[in-house]
Amino acid sequence: MAHLVRHPRIHAFDNVEGRFGLESGYEAVRLLGRGGTGQTWLCRRRGTGEEVALKLQQRPLPKHTLDLTYNEVVIQAEVGWGSPHMCTLQEVMLTPTHLAMVLDYEAGGSCAEYVAAQIPKVARLELCVDEERARYMFRQLIAGVEYLHSLHVAHRDIKLDNSLMDGADPARVKLCDFQFAKYWGKPEYARMTTHLGTAVYMAPEVITNRQNHKSYNPVEADVWACGIWLVALLVGAFPFDNRPGVDDRTAEMQIL
């Protein structure tokens, strides 16, 4: 896949002061969201006015996140330029206080935010998203997943939160967040053993891997997650119990 490899530019801002150490090149506009390992800001490049998303992680990074962060940077840099359904990583920067990933800004937000905004607008027993729009969005998700699989990459955390929408109408769906993504070798060796992902999107064989440690096919696990994605898009709820306050183990048992 050498023809797809375009590693992002890496810079170190050792002498820049400020909240993130990036103020000389970027103007912070607003906070887009917080995650388990950091936060993402909408920023504007000084000089060009281009809007980008800065995914920030405070340094030093916890040891348990180092491999995940490295994995995310490498895989997204290698696959992000080859499909319109991938969120593109432009560059990676180090400041004295933060590691920053500069990503294309997708003005439509996440598909999870889109569904959440539709729920109050629909009557009981109505779909959150009409079938025509859902079909359009799902085809784009599948196109992105098919592209990844063609490169022997499993995403392993497909969900509404990890799929973004650009500002077009109708919006284009793009996959993001490649921390859990992983390459495999030849197609016949598409087997993995790591128990990870988001509980309500996990395939049964990934859940049972915690106890039996049996390998599973990550392509099939991604396809299962796509099915959960579609159900959640259409009805605004998961096909298995995900009531507020329910822990991951309980959610997993509902799937099994």
Side-chain angles (χ1 to χ4, degrees):
M1 57 177 297
H3 64 290
L4 290 177
V5 176
R6 292 179 59 181
H7 288 285
R9 301 183 300 277
I10 299 180
H11 304 294
F13 290 79
D14 293 327
N15 57 355
V16 180
E17 296 181 355
R19 180 169 46 185
F20 304 130
L22 301 170
E23 283 69 17
S24 65
Y26 295 89
E27 174 191 356
V29 178
R30 61 183 173 90
L31 179 67
L32 294 174
R34 300 181 188 273
T37 60
Q39 50 189 272
T40 302
W41 284 76
L42 170 61
C43 294
R44 188 176 293 113
R45 288 187 189 271
R46 298 189 188 278
T48 67
E50 178 192 7
E51 290 186 331
V52 296
L54 257 65
K55 185 174 181 178
L56 297 155
Q57 297 183 62
Q58 190 164 0
R59 299 176 64 191
L61 273 63
K63 287 185 178 180
H64 70 277
T65 69
L66 286 175
D67 288 343
L68 292 176
T69 301
Y70 176 80
N71 187 68
E72 180 175 19
V73 169
V74 170
I75 290 185
Q76 191 157 5
E78 292 179 342
V79 307
W81 300 87
S83 168
H85 303 294
M86 300 289 114
C87 185
T88 302
L89 174 63
Q90 298 184 8
E91 57 185 324
V92 179
M93 298 180 289
L94 293 176
T95 78
T97 58
H98 287 79
L99 179 146
M101 297 172 61
V102 183
L103 301 154
D104 286 353
Y105 170 57
E106 308 301 345
S110 74
C111 291
E113 293 170 329
Y114 175 73
V115 171
Q118 304 310 308
I119 291 175
K121 302 177 184 178
V122 298
R124 187 172 179 270
L125 301 181
E126 285 187 356
L127 295 176
C128 287
V129 179
D130 66 78
E131 290 187 22
E132 183 177 354
R133 181 175 287 270
R135 185 182 301 111
Y136 173 81
M137 295 174 67
F138 190 59
R139 283 176 174 170
Q140 294 180 75
L141 174 74
I142 293 300
V145 173
E146 184 178 31
Y147 164 74
L148 284 181
H149 291 172
S150 73
L151 300 176
H152 295 183
V153 176
H155 188 281
R156 302 201 295 177
D157 199 21
I158 294 168
K159 56 184 178 180
L160 291 172
D161 304 81
N162 287 345
S163 45
L164 304 178
M165 304 167 66
D166 66 13
D169 186 19
R172 176 179 289 163
V173 175
K174 301 186 179 186
L175 280 169
C176 67
D177 200 335
F178 291 81
Q179 281 193 336
F180 292 164
K182 188 175 181 179
Y183 288 106
W184 74 84
K186 297 179 181 179
E188 60 267 30
Y189 299 123
R191 309 294 297 180
M192 295 184 185
T193 58
T194 311
H195 177 93
L196 47 68
T198 301
V200 291
Y201 289 86
M202 279 186 185
E205 61 269 28
V206 180
I207 295 172
T208 56
N209 164 268
R210 188 200 299 272
Q211 281 79 36
N212 61 30
H213 305 293
K214 290 183 178 179
S215 64
Y216 59 87
N217 186 319
V219 173
E220 295 175 355
D222 274 357
V223 171
W224 171 282
C226 288
I228 304 298
W229 187 100
L230 178 59
V231 172
L233 178 73
L234 285 168
V235 303
F238 297 103
F240 308 102
D241 194 359
N242 186 33
R243 292 166 295 176
V246 173
D247 59 33
D248 286 352
R249 293 302 296 273
T250 302
E252 290 175 0
M253 292 305 298
Q254 292 288 337
I255 295 172
L256 297 176

